[in-house]
Amino acid sequence: KVAAEGLGLSLLLLTVGLVLVVVGVDRSAPAAVVGGALAAGSFAAWGHNRAGDHVLVATLADVAHLAAAALWVGGLVLLGLTLQHRRRSGADPVDPVDTGQVVARFSVLATGGIVAVGGAGVALAWTQLESLSDLTDGRYGLFLLAKVALVAAVAALAAYNHFRLVPAMGRGRARAALDRLWTTLRVEVVVLAGVAALTSVLVVTTPPTGQMQLVERIVEVSDGHGSIQ
């Protein structure tokens, strides 16, 4: 029964994925990537996406949502650690060819991640909400709106980094741009922690498509003795 409901498959995929990541991280990059994909996809085998009339769409959107979010948030944390290491090691932050290229490469990755997260999130919302009014009529919709607002705030900061700070590094203002980037990265991490907290609430909140509907039936008792509701 556990396997049939998806929990067993989810645990199996998660275990195999994490083993591949641990074994392949220093030995085989492809194995580590496959393991990471399996671990992220394991969560889609169990949860709200299994309910409703659009299971396939919800599952694919869930996998894409998780993978894109992992790349975006994980890359953001690693970029912050990289910049912190450079600051502590005394690397010259004014050199745009070095630090600027690192930030620019992540900016491209983050842009793709934001687009993928947004697209998959819209698809997931479509499968879990029965109407637009569900966004404001219940707890699930309100938590979802709060999550979208925080993600939009992080996306705005990412756009500021991409269009303002990264170009500034190539115009002789690398030090000031790097200091601002360090500040915005810390703000992004804090806001994304709030997104993770809201997500943890969403996964244990029943969406409109999974709520049981009350069915009322009145059965007449034979010989005119009344009825049963």
Side-chain angles (χ1 to χ4, degrees):
K1 182 179 179 180
V2 173
E5 291 180 348
L7 179 58
L9 177 61
S10 177
L11 293 175
L12 177 62
L13 292 176
L14 179 61
T15 302
V16 173
L18 292 179
V19 169
L20 287 176
V21 169
V22 172
V23 174
V25 67
D26 292 325
R27 302 179 182 179
S28 174
V33 171
V34 171
L38 287 176
S42 67
F43 295 97
W46 170 254
H48 295 150
N49 58 295
R50 311 305 297 175
D53 300 325
H54 309 282
V55 176
L56 179 59
V57 175
T59 301
L60 294 177
D62 201 9
V63 172
H65 194 70
L66 288 165
L71 288 174
W72 177 24
V73 179
L76 181 66
V77 173
L78 289 177
L79 176 63
L81 293 175
T82 299
L83 295 182
Q84 184 181 31
H85 174 72
R86 288 172 181 268
R87 289 161 62 93
R88 289 180 176 178
S89 63
D92 186 8
V94 181
D95 183 9
V97 178
D98 189 13
T99 304
Q101 286 183 353
V102 173
V103 177
R105 285 197 298 269
F106 171 75
S107 182
V108 175
L109 173 66
T111 301
I114 292 172
V115 173
V117 165
V122 170
L124 279 172
W126 175 72
T127 62
Q128 300 300 323
L129 301 176
E130 297 179 336
S131 65
L132 289 177
S133 62
D134 288 332
L135 288 172
T136 56
D137 290 344
R139 294 181 62 221
Y140 187 89
L142 292 175
F143 281 123
L144 180 59
L145 285 178
K147 177 181 176 180
V148 170
L150 291 182
V151 172
V154 177
L157 286 174
Y160 174 77
N161 295 339
H162 180 76
F163 293 107
R164 295 294 299 274
L165 299 185
V166 173
M169 290 185 178
R171 296 197 298 263
R173 294 182 294 173
R175 184 180 297 277
L178 186 60
D179 290 339
R180 291 185 181 179
L181 178 64
W182 178 244
T183 300
T184 59
L185 284 179
R186 286 184 290 182
V187 174
E188 287 183 55
V189 170
V190 172
V191 177
L192 286 174
V195 173
L198 285 174
T199 302
S200 67
V201 176
L202 274 173
V203 297
V204 295
T205 303
T206 303
T209 55
Q211 293 177 359
M212 297 179 63
Q213 301 297 324
L214 178 63
V215 177
E216 183 181 47
R217 178 178 300 178
I218 299 178
V219 180
E220 296 293 336
V221 180
S222 60
D223 299 330
H225 291 293
S227 62
I228 299 176
Q229 184 180 22

